[in-house]
Amino acid sequence: MTAAVPHGAARPAGPPATADHVGSGLLTFAGVLLVLVGSLNALDGISAIAGSHVFVGNAHFVFGDLLAWGWVMLALAVAQLGAAYGVLALRAQWARWAGVVVLVLNAFAQMSFVPSYPVWSLTIIAIDVVAIYALTAYATPGRWGPASSGQPPGPGGTT
């Protein structure tokens, strides 16, 4: 929350107050997407392990069978929910990068899962791509790149 500044008064020094809110919102969005994809993968995994009839019958997989892919989806769901906790509750850098890794692995796993539920798998891959963007688009202030002094860069890009 920003403090009101009377008209004509000087603004306090430092970066604008809204700069961190944009990144915070983007990280929250990414964390919520991780929870969503993790929950959907858990449902997929449990359905595949239980032998549910929601999947295409007689699907041919490159390797393994529907039961094996059910366990893979369940393991990925646990990893995604763990990364989501790290992003949402801890705001940890390791959780952001763990989320990226687990989302990339999930996209590849969903490509292998396409024969059993094509439209659903492609939808999950699209959500994975958006979540990867949200996790990588924002750099934490002070951690990545040069520190901002709050002044515009001088000639030649130096402050």
Side-chain angles (χ1 to χ4, degrees):
M1 178 176 236
T2 60
V5 177
H7 182 69
R11 297 198 64 83
T18 58
D20 193 39
H21 295 298
V22 172
S24 178
L26 201 55
L27 287 178
T28 301
F29 176 70
V32 169
L33 283 181
L34 273 167
V35 169
L36 175 69
V37 172
S39 301
L40 294 174
N41 280 342
L43 291 174
D44 273 350
I46 292 169
S47 297
I49 292 167
S52 178
H53 297 288
V54 298
F55 299 105
V56 174
N58 299 327
H60 298 286
F61 297 94
V62 176
F63 57 93
D65 59 356
L66 187 60
L67 180 65
W69 282 110
W71 283 109
V72 168
M73 290 297 137
L74 196 57
L76 282 171
V78 169
Q80 288 167 339
L81 293 173
Y85 175 77
V87 169
L88 290 172
L90 305 177
R91 297 287 182 183
Q93 286 291 348
W94 64 264
R96 284 178 57 200
W97 296 111
V100 169
V101 168
V102 98
L103 287 167
V104 168
L105 290 175
N106 184 52
F108 282 116
Q110 289 292 342
M111 285 182 210
S112 299
F113 207 61
V114 164
S116 62
Y117 214 5
V119 175
W120 186 257
S121 293
L122 294 175
T123 303
I124 298 297
I125 290 169
I127 294 172
D128 286 340
V129 170
V130 172
I132 289 169
Y133 169 77
L135 286 171
T136 58
Y138 174 72
T140 305
R143 297 246 178 153
W144 307 104
S148 174
S149 64
Q151 300 174 1
T158 59
T159 54

